[in-house]
Amino acid sequence: MAEVRERWEIGGGRGDPDAILQRIREEEEAGEAERFEGHGRLKVFFGYAAGVGKTFAMLTEAHHVQDEGVDVVVGYVEPHTRADTLALLDGLEVLPVKSVKHRNVALREFDLDAALKRRPQVVLVDELAHTNAPGCRHRKRYQDVEELLRAGIDVYTTVNVQHLEGLNDKIASVTAVAPSERIPDRVFDAADSVEVVDLEPADLIKRLRSGKIYAPERIGSALSHFFSRSNLAALREIALRRAADRLTRASAATVPHAAGGEDVLVLVTADAAAPRVIRAAAGMAEAFGGSCTALVVESGGEGAEGRSKGDAALARSIALAEEMGAHIVTLTGDDPVQPVALYAAAAGIRRIVVPSMPGRIGLLGCGDVASRLMRAAPEAMVTAVPAVDAPSVLERLRTYASFRLTASDVFRALLAIAVATALGEVAWLASPTPSIILMTYLLVALLLATRADGFLYAVLVALGSVVAYNFFFTAPRYTFHAYSLSAPIIFTVLLIGTLGASSLAIRLKRQATTAARRAYRTEVLLESSREF
């Protein structure tokens, strides 16, 4: 009635109220018809790993709706080797696939034009996150699906949780595998219906061992990597949480935007870590109920070749930010700190997300973008996202026990020897007792071993301690000669003691890291059980 009153007032109080009501009804009916005819409905069969039964559930649903008189066509189904899944194609109309040649290989692709020409009520399109072969109209299959929806055709499709863009970093941290094929979260959230296809991880592993998911030569590798029991349990928990989160987002979209929401500003760069930073910022903006602004600071100081490479990487970062729903703003400047701080102050944004580049902080503590931005914008909350991708971090954790030489371990070993020698000199002036000097080397080596990355630190600090002790505290001092008969025994004890103490500290550090990961996995399993 408010709309009727508004239209009546706009008309100056003139006109037939019944005619106005009739016109409103006609416009509403036309809008409903346009919505029904102009846009199809999307149903997603959602799973946490390959083999849980998404395609099987989709084909089963297709038979049900076909029995109700709906015109159903199979546009594309991945050529699985599972007999029970292929058997469900019987009784359904299957469109011929499109053959695309790429590098002298014939690839099977979904024929979008054939589906549009056939124009069924429902079309089945498997593997929503698939990347189309070069030569297809769209680069990604989800874009084919969007065109079908715009044509008014309903679509059934399948997707796994690891293919959602917003969960890429989280999935990579759990599985040590970063999926290359992804879809924007908006496609998943905009689906009219999402059916979670669930299966116990133990049952999924049984299916894998029986050869129903991968070829026999791939089973062993899959079980030891992606399809480990802990990975599947974590992926299952993430999928269930994401499906529930979709309902929360859908209900939040029906109410006005919260006035107290906090906006987020993210610095977009050409670095390889930019996608991780953008995803983190988009997730923060959604969690705080605000919008995300992606700020690009362009600089003209690079050469032509470097600029072309940077432009390509920056374009990919901007495209990802747009997919994540961010508003793009471009500024110019040689240093990104001041433009970011000034824009945040002008826009009233109090949360800023920037990449954190390990190793860029100099000896004087300057050079890191995050720390400088904190000084330039003291009223803002600056979040520095680690630039190292999750698989690299996991790989570094797994190589703690290796003997790979790192610059940080060399530095720590030299520092331990220098500090122990300096303390030894002080102790020698007070009381020239060899036992006190030996304990000083052992203690300092043990303390710094808690920060070491590998066992080569223990080797370096043990050998260096023996050499330093011989040079500074064995008669004759400040030479590498040792005339005492007990010197070889002292050197051996110092070498073994320092090596053993440092190795033990590093091993305890690795065990603490493993215990923390196990505690997280246990919490995931408990939380998953509570959800069920």
Side-chain angles (χ1 to χ4, degrees):
M1 294 303 297
E3 184 178 358
V4 173
R5 189 181 300 110
E6 183 177 344
R7 295 191 184 192
W8 174 263
E9 292 173 354
I10 291 175
R14 296 183 298 274
D16 184 4
D18 293 332
I20 294 176
L21 286 173
Q22 180 63 27
R23 187 168 67 250
I24 292 173
R25 294 192 185 98
E26 291 175 354
E27 290 176 357
E28 290 177 348
E29 291 175 358
E32 287 295 321
E34 182 180 356
R35 183 193 64 79
F36 180 77
E37 294 178 0
H39 201 280
R41 296 176 61 84
L42 175 63
K43 181 170 184 177
V44 176
F45 292 84
F46 186 55
Y48 68 88
V52 296
K54 302 181 301 299
T55 305
F56 187 92
M58 179 178 67
L59 292 173
T60 302
E61 179 70 12
H63 280 282
H64 290 165
V65 297
Q66 183 176 255
D67 294 340
E68 296 174 358
V70 178
D71 183 17
V72 181
V73 167
V74 177
Y76 182 88
V77 169
E78 197 67 24
H80 300 288
T81 57
R82 306 157 204 167
D84 51 353
T85 301
L86 295 177
L88 288 175
L89 292 175
D90 295 338
L92 295 174
E93 180 183 349
V94 181
L95 291 178
V97 296
K98 180 179 180 180
S99 181
V100 179
K101 281 193 175 182
H102 179 60
R103 296 179 180 176
N104 297 325
V105 177
L107 302 176
R108 302 171 73 255
E109 296 291 349
F110 167 58
D111 194 339
L112 175 61
D113 293 324
L116 292 172
K117 183 178 180 180
R118 171 63 175 77
R119 199 174 180 80
Q121 290 178 277
V122 177
V123 61
L124 277 58
V125 183
D126 206 7
E127 300 291 345
L128 182 62
H130 172 74
T131 301
N132 293 330
C136 296
R137 181 152 72 245
H138 299 298
R139 190 176 68 87
K140 302 288 291 187
R141 184 167 291 169
Y142 78 82
Q143 296 171 323
D144 295 338
V145 169
E146 288 179 330
E147 184 168 344
L148 291 172
L149 296 174
R150 289 193 296 269
I153 301 174
D154 294 349
V155 178
Y156 290 176
T157 188
T158 63
V159 72
N160 281 327
V161 65
Q162 64 264 29
H163 296 300
L164 297 184
E165 183 69 58
L167 295 174
N168 180 261
D169 297 318
K170 189 171 186 178
I171 297 296
S173 67
V174 172
T175 64
V177 176
S180 58
E181 294 185 327
R182 301 186 293 271
I183 64 171
D185 287 46
R186 62 173 177 80
V187 177
F188 178 77
D189 291 327
D192 298 276
S193 176
V194 172
E195 180 175 324
V196 178
V197 183
D198 189 41
L199 186 67
E200 287 287 343
D203 295 333
L204 181 59
I205 291 176
K206 289 180 181 178
R207 297 193 65 188
L208 178 63
R209 292 184 186 278
S210 62
K212 294 183 178 181
I213 300 178
Y214 292 139
E217 60 271 12
R218 297 180 58 189
I219 294 177
S221 176
L223 286 172
S224 60
H225 293 89
F226 190 86
F227 277 80
S228 66
R229 189 179 295 270
S230 58
N231 279 356
L232 294 179
L235 288 172
R236 186 189 190 195
E237 192 266 348
I238 294 172
L240 293 174
R241 283 180 177 273
R242 185 62 180 85
D245 184 52
R246 174 186 167 274
L247 298 178
T248 303
R249 299 185 189 191
S251 61
T254 60
V255 298
H257 190 70
E262 295 189 55
D263 297 335
V264 177
L265 178 66
V266 56
L267 174 62
V268 177
T269 64
D271 294 335
R276 193 168 187 225
V277 179
I278 294 169
R279 295 187 197 104
M284 289 177 60
E286 184 175 352
F288 294 130
S291 61
C292 181
T293 300
L295 184 62
V296 182
V297 180
E298 294 183 342
S299 173
E302 295 181 350
E305 181 179 357
R307 188 164 55 248
S308 62
K309 293 181 180 179
D311 288 346
L314 187 61
R316 291 192 294 269
S317 299
I318 294 174
L320 175 61
E322 290 177 338
E323 286 186 355
M324 301 296 291
H327 172 61
I328 309 298
V329 175
T330 303
L331 300 177
T332 57
D334 295 330
D335 185 7
V337 173
Q338 286 301 321
V340 170
L342 293 175
Y343 184 88
I349 300 177
R350 294 295 178 265
R351 291 189 179 273
I352 305 175
V353 181
V354 296
S356 173
M357 305 301 293
R360 289 189 177 182
I361 301 180
L363 294 175
L364 300 179
C366 59
D368 181 68
V369 173
S371 60
R372 292 168 53 215
L373 189 57
M374 290 178 187
R375 294 192 293 269
E379 73 284 355
M381 299 180 64
V382 180
T383 301
V385 179
V388 182
D389 59 348
S392 298
V393 172
L394 286 177
E395 189 63 27
R396 193 165 71 91
L397 290 174
R398 288 168 182 162
T399 57
Y400 273 150
S402 68
F403 285 85
R404 186 182 60 177
L405 183 63
T406 62
S408 59
D409 279 353
V410 174
F411 174 76
R412 292 187 183 96
L414 294 176
L415 179 63
I417 296 168
V419 171
T421 302
L423 294 176
E425 287 285 358
V426 175
W428 186 271
L429 294 176
S431 175
T433 306
S435 60
I436 297 177
I437 311 300
L438 294 175
M439 292 302 299
T440 301
Y441 277 100
L442 287 172
L443 180 60
V444 174
L446 181 61
L447 291 176
L448 290 183
T450 59
R451 309 288 295 178
D453 292 336
F455 286 108
L456 263 181
Y457 163 84
V459 176
L460 293 176
V461 76
L463 294 175
S465 297
V466 171
V467 173
Y469 180 82
N470 181 24
F471 185 82
F472 290 100
F473 303 106
T474 301
R477 298 185 67 190
Y478 308 114
T479 67
F480 289 106
H481 301 290
Y483 297 151
S484 174
L485 296 178
S486 61
I489 299 177
I490 295 176
F491 295 161
T492 303
V493 171
L494 179 59
L495 178 65
I496 297 176
T498 309
L499 182 63
S502 302
S503 300
L504 180 60
I506 296 171
R507 188 179 300 276
L508 289 176
K509 177 185 176 183
R510 293 182 57 242
Q511 290 176 352
T513 303
T514 303
R517 289 175 58 94
R518 287 177 179 173
Y520 170 74
R521 295 291 173 83
T522 302
E523 178 61 27
V524 166
L525 293 175
L526 291 175
E527 184 64 25
S528 179
S529 299
R530 284 194 292 267
E531 291 287 342
F532 279 116

